[in-house]
Amino acid sequence: MQAFKRAFIIVLDSFGIGAEPDAKEFGDGDCNTLRSIVASKEYDTPNMKKLGLFNIDGVGCGTPEAQPIGAFARLRELSRGKDTTTGHWEIAGIISERPMPTYPDGFPPEVIAELEKAFGRKIICNKPYSGTKVIHDYGREQKETGALIVYTSADSVLQIAAHEDDVPVEQLYEYCRMARKIMQGEHGVGRIIARPYVGEYPNYTRTPRRHDFSLDPTGDTMMDALARKGLATIGVGKISDIFAGRSVSRTLGINKDNVDGMEKTLKLMDEDFTGLAFVNLVDFDMQYGHRRDIDGYAKAATVFDRQLGEFMAKMKDDDLLMITADHGCDPGAPGTDHTREYVPLLMYGKHVKAGLNLGTYPTFAMIGATISDIFGADLYTKGESLLPRIIE
């Protein structure tokens, strides 16, 4: 008999647990997102502790739980990247052996020329930039000239920012669709991101109407595998964006913050479905990791943990919970970039062996393989199913 009817994967975006062996190749030193936030007075996550967070091999911080109630593992990223798209794709089963292109010096002149021709507008900035600082520095020029602010980061992204009064949100989305068609092949960045904002100089504010336009996944995913069997594949937050909408049967957008995302997930638990709910909580990364806000990150983890307690109390006997991350973004590290880190895997449910230390595995794709195995779905991936080990 199938042990699980519903599986919930909650991705704590950027919740890394220590530098991977190749971190220096990605410009990172002794990074550890978890270690940085545990040191904050704002940090208190008793539920994740009970699941075994501090029992995971190599975390190097916190106090291990004497009798963990979950199974736990440390996962290494096999793909050549440390960004959202690469991390989520690997969770779902895809190994990206070639890194997606990045542009530390801005996009080449021929790319900018092609974008300007498609948009019918000039482009300003064209540099790696902080998203809040770029609108402060270029917002007045954008309004005066009608140009579009195009910028990037250390990730494989092209971001387009414009004031909502000058460029209606739907028009900004259309510019992003144009850019997505152009940015393929050699210049196939992982994401084109619409960044609308409002306000007057110097008090511009980015709005929640951000939208990501991803590359089509380059291989088979756990959602593809489940969809072929007619099972539910529900995305909460930006999951649908990350996978270009492919094999996501339903999307629940997050309009405010992590709390809103978890509230939507908690309501989803009241529904009867068979399959997967895949949740991304982006605030850890976007609001706190990149801004190197240790106390803010720690407080967000504390708030999540309280909602996690509600989630666990509502779980049914045939539910499976998996908590993980897609990369690191150590708020205690220099700079504002993601960090190349191991990620946690915490698993919990009535049919999951309590206190099981699974050790360290070489790929995030263990998750996709496990989900596919649970539902008897065929998925080609380098990950291996953990189901035989975790089942009670």
Side-chain angles (χ1 to χ4, degrees):
M1 186 180 71
Q2 184 173 306
F4 303 108
K5 181 180 179 183
R6 305 188 301 183
F8 294 83
I9 299 174
I10 300 178
V11 178
L12 310 183
D13 202 306
S14 83
F15 203 90
I17 58 170
E20 293 193 355
D22 60 359
K24 287 184 179 179
E25 296 177 25
F26 290 81
D28 299 317
D30 183 25
C31 49
N32 188 324
T33 299
L34 180 60
R35 183 180 61 200
S36 290
I37 63 175
V38 165
S40 168
K41 65 182 185 303
E42 300 290 344
Y43 186 88
D44 183 30
T45 60
N47 290 307
M48 284 199 285
K49 181 177 182 292
K50 288 177 186 175
L51 290 175
L53 177 62
F54 299 113
N55 297 75
I56 295 173
D57 291 353
V59 293
C61 61
T63 304
E65 183 74 12
Q67 293 184 309
I69 61 174
F72 44 90
R74 181 173 70 163
L75 304 181
R76 181 178 176 181
E77 187 164 17
L78 186 57
S79 298
R80 296 296 296 173
K82 55 174 182 175
D83 60 88
T84 294
T85 301
T86 303
H88 280 79
W89 282 12
E90 184 162 329
I91 288 170
I94 298 172
I95 309 300
S96 303
E97 296 179 354
R98 294 180 60 187
M100 294 179 180
T102 56
Y103 297 87
D105 300 316
F107 299 99
E110 63 272 18
V111 170
I112 295 298
E114 191 171 358
L115 291 170
E116 287 182 332
K117 182 179 178 180
F119 299 158
R121 290 177 182 257
K122 296 296 291 181
I123 284 172
I124 55 177
C125 184
N126 186 29
K127 301 173 185 176
Y129 236 99
S130 156
T132 51
K133 195 169 188 301
V134 77
I135 58 177
H136 177 276
D137 292 354
Y138 287 89
R140 285 181 294 181
E141 184 179 354
Q142 189 271 311
K143 190 167 192 64
E144 290 167 1
T145 64
L148 296 171
I149 303 170
V150 170
Y151 64 106
T152 187
S153 73
D155 291 345
S156 182
V157 295
L158 182 150
Q159 305 185 77
I160 307 177
H163 198 292
E164 291 190 4
D165 288 349
D166 303 320
V167 180
V169 173
E170 288 302 325
Q171 181 61 61
L172 183 60
Y173 293 167
E174 183 57 28
Y175 289 141
C176 288
R177 292 185 190 100
M178 293 175 184
R180 180 71 281 171
K181 290 179 181 178
I182 292 169
M183 304 301 287
Q184 299 287 332
E186 176 189 357
H187 297 298
V189 292
R191 289 175 293 161
I192 309 292
I193 306 177
R195 292 287 197 176
Y197 62 92
V198 295
E200 300 292 334
Y201 179 83
N203 300 311
Y204 296 123
T205 305
R206 295 196 296 186
T207 75
R209 288 175 283 277
R210 159 190 172 154
H211 191 63
D212 294 24
F213 299 80
S214 288
L215 280 176
D216 287 333
T218 55
D220 205 24
T221 72
M222 62 187 174
M223 289 87 77
D224 294 330
L226 268 59
R228 288 192 291 266
K229 295 204 68 166
L231 300 172
T233 53
I234 304 168
V236 181
K238 61 180 185 177
I239 295 298
S240 182
D241 289 348
I242 294 167
F243 291 90
R246 198 175 85 191
S247 296
V248 179
S249 61
R250 179 182 168 200
T251 295
L252 301 175
I254 296 176
N255 300 320
K256 298 177 183 177
D257 49 25
N258 284 352
V259 173
D260 179 43
M262 280 302 295
E263 286 175 351
K264 285 183 167 63
T265 305
L266 287 163
K267 288 180 181 177
L268 183 60
M269 297 183 78
D270 296 328
E271 299 183 17
D272 182 22
F273 66 89
T274 301
L276 172 67
F278 197 1
V279 182
N280 173 275
L281 301 179
V282 72
D283 281 3
F284 295 112
D285 183 58
M286 183 174 68
Q287 297 294 342
Y288 309 113
H290 284 297
R291 297 179 184 182
R292 296 310 194 241
D293 181 354
I294 293 174
D295 286 343
Y297 204 129
K299 187 172 183 179
T302 298
V303 172
F304 164 74
D305 196 79
R306 292 175 189 151
Q307 290 184 291
L308 173 60
E310 296 178 51
F311 182 99
M312 292 164 65
K314 290 187 71 170
M315 288 179 68
K316 297 179 179 178
D317 288 351
D318 53 4
D319 284 344
L320 170 66
L321 168 64
M322 306 174 86
I323 298 173
T324 191
D326 54 342
H327 52 73
C329 197
D330 183 356
T336 61
D337 190 13
H338 291 156
T339 42
R340 176 80 167 178
E341 297 185 50
Y342 291 101
V343 302
L345 176 59
L346 302 174
M347 290 176 281
Y348 178 71
K350 181 180 178 181
H351 298 294
V352 175
K353 289 179 182 177
L356 177 63
N357 184 351
L358 292 159
T360 300
Y361 286 97
T363 173
F364 300 175
M366 306 298 291
I367 296 173
T370 302
I371 292 295
S372 300
D373 194 13
I374 285 169
F375 295 103
D378 294 328
L379 172 68
Y380 176 76
T381 178
K382 291 184 179 180
E384 297 179 12
S385 174
L386 295 170
L387 183 62
R389 292 194 63 187
I390 67 169
I391 201 78
E392 185 64 73

